[in-house]
Amino acid sequence: MATIIDGKKLAKEYRMKLKSRCDDLKNKGINPKLAVIMVGNDKASQVYVKNKSKACEEIGIIFEEYLLDENIKQEELINLIEKLNQDDSVNGILLQSPIPSNLDINEAFQKISPNKDVDGFNPLNVGKLALNQDTFVSCTPYGIMKMFEAYNVDLTGKNVTIIGRSNIVGKPLIQCCLNKNATVTVCHSKTKNLKEHTQNADILIVAIGKAKFVTEDMVKDGAVVIDVGINRDENGKLTGDVDFENVEKKASYITPVPGGVGPMTIAMLMNNVIKATENSKF
Ligand code: NAD
């Protein structure tokens, strides 16, 4: 039976440490602030933003929400980002995705000041990650790397297989794992013989968005399995991309859903806001 990587507990420990860093800033008269922009009424985004707001409240970060109408023009979105870039009281800017498809999200991410880019989506920060330079790392990959650290999972020389090549999870994970000296394979919807790649993985990271997609037969004995997926099963229950019940019997470490990667993602966002504030004031 695998050791369960307890993301909920780990994230709480991180938030406690961040609260103490936030208190230090406040004692110096500096109040960290996160501005979150949401366009339209995506239901899942509303839940994610609410969770981010709760985490900010717990740590003592000021949370400012900008709710924009789904019919907003690109220019208005960019104007708001530029206004927040100029505002010295704002330390972090987050544009919640998805946004309506008529808007250009890449241009919007590019406009967010690299110094306030707490999601790590500005191309400059993406490039810095590729060069293994200090930067804001996209929160989900960053949270996964912190889990490895906390559970002493050494990536050196390990075969890491990532399923999913999204800009927010799969691609930054490639760099994070390479930077830790892993041998990285990336699989996606066009990959042939997926099972061959997954069976070869000492560490398997799954970010697809398909409930219980990864089954026991796809996993090597003793593998570390990280499940990023958030899905609802046939009974409406929250479930990951991995068939947890069966894969758990074969893995050495595994993350649950819920209570695995999700809480760590939010904790790393909070980390990035505190880091942005510290960077701006000293
Ligand atoms: P996405 O939805 O943008 O893309 C899905 C990826 O899966 C693509 O790269 C695609 O090529 C790949 N894929 C789809 N079907 C496949 C198949 N049959 N075989 C191999 N690859 C396949 O990806 P995303 O935004 O990274 O989201 C993936 C999942 O992770 C979703 O469930 C999302 O909700 C979840 N997620 C969770 C967190 C968290 O904090 N826990 C953060 C981000 C995303």
Side-chain angles (χ1 to χ4, degrees):
M1 286 293 252
T3 299
I4 311 289
I5 298 184
D6 190 342
K8 197 172 168 192
K9 179 165 165 257
L10 203 56
K12 191 169 182 199
E13 287 166 15
Y14 269 101
R15 292 200 304 273
M16 291 303 103
K17 286 184 201 150
L18 291 168
K19 186 171 179 359
S20 144
R21 275 162 73 187
C22 190
D23 288 345
D24 287 348
L25 287 161
K26 285 183 164 180
N27 288 337
K28 294 179 181 127
I30 301 158
N31 296 299
K33 190 196 278 185
L34 171 66
V36 172
I37 306 171
M38 214 165 78
V39 189
N41 301 307
D42 183 78
K43 288 276 170 288
S45 294
Q46 285 170 353
V47 175
Y48 298 146
V49 168
K50 196 167 164 223
N51 289 339
K52 289 167 189 176
S53 128
K54 267 170 42 190
C56 280
E57 194 183 333
E58 183 190 359
I59 291 166
I61 295 170
I62 301 168
F63 180 86
E64 221 167 61
E65 199 172 0
Y66 293 83
L67 300 174
L68 305 183
D69 188 86
E70 62 183 343
N71 297 315
I72 195 174
K73 293 203 170 64
Q74 178 78 6
E75 194 190 348
E76 293 170 83
L77 174 61
I78 300 299
N79 285 345
L80 172 60
I81 291 172
E82 279 174 349
K83 190 180 124 219
L84 295 170
N85 282 342
Q86 299 303 322
D87 184 342
D88 285 342
S89 77
V90 173
N91 304 101
I93 304 170
L94 182 152
L95 172 61
Q96 183 68 40
S97 66
I99 63 174
S101 55
N102 60 311
L103 297 172
D104 180 350
I105 198 162
N106 290 328
E107 190 203 14
F109 284 146
Q110 200 166 333
K111 291 288 177 186
I112 293 175
S113 161
N115 300 324
K116 298 187 180 187
D117 173 35
V118 286
D119 253 343
F121 295 159
N122 181 292
L124 185 80
N125 288 328
V126 175
K128 281 188 167 181
L129 178 64
L131 297 171
N132 201 6
Q133 294 174 5
D134 183 43
T135 183
F136 294 110
V137 180
S138 175
C139 303
T140 300
Y142 194 23
I144 293 171
M145 300 318 282
K146 290 290 172 192
M147 283 174 153
F148 290 145
E149 252 175 61
Y151 283 80
N152 296 318
V153 176
D154 182 6
L155 271 68
T156 307
K158 299 278 167 58
N159 291 335
V160 174
T161 298
I162 301 164
I163 322 183
R165 56 173 164 186
S166 68
N167 288 343
I168 68 165
V169 184
K171 283 185 195 154
L173 262 173
I174 302 170
Q175 301 300 340
C176 290
C177 295
L178 268 182
N179 292 344
K180 292 288 178 192
N181 301 312
T183 303
V184 184
T185 303
V186 190
C187 302
H188 45 79
S189 54
K190 303 278 188 272
T191 298
K192 295 204 170 76
N193 306 322
L194 181 67
K195 210 167 158 181
E196 274 175 26
H197 298 290
T198 60
Q199 283 175 337
N200 187 38
D202 302 309
I203 298 170
L204 179 62
I205 311 177
V206 194
I208 317 173
K210 290 188 175 157
K212 300 182 184 172
F213 180 90
V214 170
T215 46
E216 195 185 352
D217 55 310
M218 297 169 75
V219 178
K220 181 176 171 178
D221 264 325
V224 176
V225 180
I226 306 291
D227 190 351
V228 182
I230 303 174
N231 315 284
R232 296 271 168 195
D233 71 7
E234 55 282 2
N235 304 315
K237 199 174 148 234
L238 210 58
T239 184
D241 289 347
V242 175
D243 177 9
F244 182 88
E245 227 170 77
N246 293 308
V247 172
E248 183 200 10
K249 293 175 193 147
K250 215 169 173 188
S252 57
Y253 290 90
I254 190 167
T255 61
V257 177
V261 174
M264 286 303 285
T265 297
I266 295 186
M268 291 309 109
L269 172 66
M270 299 298 112
N271 176 80
N272 285 351
V273 177
I274 296 294
K275 174 176 167 155
T277 313
E278 290 169 348
N279 285 353
S280 68
K281 305 294 173 188
F282 305 109

